[in-house]
């Protein structure tokens, strides 16, 4: 989960620290200004401190959320396909909460997968090896690679030396 979202969270944390510093410096400088500007300076210093606090709360919440999502991701990738109920037991959460969290992870593209009609979380990267024949060939032939069909976008296994067609739309697969 080391991606742009963590970088973005770090940037927010740095900005929050900047607001704290500006607010603290502003509070100190307020005491050295003429009495007629105390009110304005105090309001500005207080505003910067409040913005710093708000940004810190956002950072803490995001870090906690990503840590929680990391646990989900570990369980899901270990199983490749897992039911919402099974994941709920593992996470010690209600199935509705798991469904909501996994849907959010799919929506923000932390998971490349979907929830099927049986309430199973299926990762697209592993969906390609579910076909027994293709899986056996892929294991025997170390030169097999996952490939996306240019016609329909489905993931397939490309095996060198064989005629490769998409399992879904029957188009020829081309290795790039």
């Amino acid at each position: 989960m080391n991606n742009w979202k963590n970088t973005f969270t770090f940037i927010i944390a740095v900005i929050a620290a900047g607001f704290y510093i500006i607010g603290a410096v502003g509070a100190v400088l307020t005491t050295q200004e003429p009495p007629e500007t105390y009110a304005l300076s105090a309001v500005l210093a207080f505003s910067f401190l409040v913005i710093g606090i708000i940004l810190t709360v956002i950072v803490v919440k995001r870090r906690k959320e990503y840590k929680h999502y990391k646990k989900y991701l570990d369980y899901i990738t270990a199983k490749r396909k897992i039911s919402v109920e099974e994941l709920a037991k593992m996470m010690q959460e209600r199935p509705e909460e798991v469904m909501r969290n996994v849907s959010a992870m799919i929506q923000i593209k932390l998971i490349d997968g979907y929830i099927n009609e049986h309430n199973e979380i299926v990762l697209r990267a592993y969906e390609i090896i579910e076909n027994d024949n293709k899986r056996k060939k892929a294991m025997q032939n170390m030169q097999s690679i996952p490939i996306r069909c240019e016609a329909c976008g489905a993931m397939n296994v490309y095996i060198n030396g064989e005629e490769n067609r998409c399992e879904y739309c029957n188009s020829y697969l081309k290795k790039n």
Side-chain angles (χ1 to χ4, degrees), residues 10-172:
F10 176 75
I11 291 169
I12 292 174
V14 169
I15 292 170
F19 274 101
Y20 279 132
I21 292 169
I22 292 170
V25 170
V28 170
L29 292 178
T30 298
T31 60
Q32 299 173 358
E33 294 195 16
E36 57 272 359
T37 61
Y38 281 169
L40 179 61
S41 297
V43 168
L44 286 174
F46 182 73
S47 299
F48 277 98
L49 287 172
V50 168
I51 291 170
I53 291 169
I54 290 169
L55 290 175
T56 301
V57 168
I58 290 170
V59 167
V60 168
K61 183 179 176 189
R62 285 181 66 125
R63 299 277 305 172
K64 194 176 194 181
E65 185 178 83
Y66 285 138
K67 202 176 211 182
H68 191 67
Y69 283 171
K70 174 81 171 88
K71 284 174 85 175
Y72 274 92
L73 205 54
D74 290 344
Y75 286 133
I76 293 167
T77 54
K79 291 282 196 169
R80 299 179 182 184
K81 182 197 275 186
I82 186 170
S83 72
V84 170
E85 288 77 22
E86 185 179 354
L87 185 58
K89 286 178 189 171
M90 295 169 115
M91 294 294 295
Q92 298 176 348
E93 295 176 354
R94 293 185 329 272
E96 303 82 33
E97 188 176 351
V98 169
M99 182 75 90
R100 183 174 30 87
N101 287 334
V102 170
S103 295
M105 291 173 71
I106 291 169
Q107 187 175 11
I108 61 175
K109 303 203 185 318
L110 286 176
I111 296 177
D112 183 21
Y114 60 93
I115 299 172
N116 68 15
E117 65 276 0
H118 304 292
N119 273 349
E120 294 173 320
I121 303 152
V122 181
L123 297 179
R124 292 187 205 286
Y126 297 113
E127 187 178 47
I128 60 173
I129 58 173
E130 283 189 346
N131 182 315
D132 283 337
N133 295 333
K134 288 258 183 179
R135 183 177 3 175
K136 288 175 189 171
K137 287 179 185 178
M139 292 170 124
Q140 290 170 354
N141 186 348
M142 294 303 286
Q143 295 182 348
S144 62
I145 56 169
I147 190 169
R148 189 171 300 279
C149 175
E150 291 179 359
C152 71
M155 290 301 293
N156 290 270
V157 175
Y158 183 92
I159 301 173
N160 286 332
E162 289 191 18
E163 179 181 342
N164 292 280
R165 288 180 168 258
C166 178
E167 291 179 31
Y168 303 96
C169 71
N170 209 29
S171 297
Y172 285 100

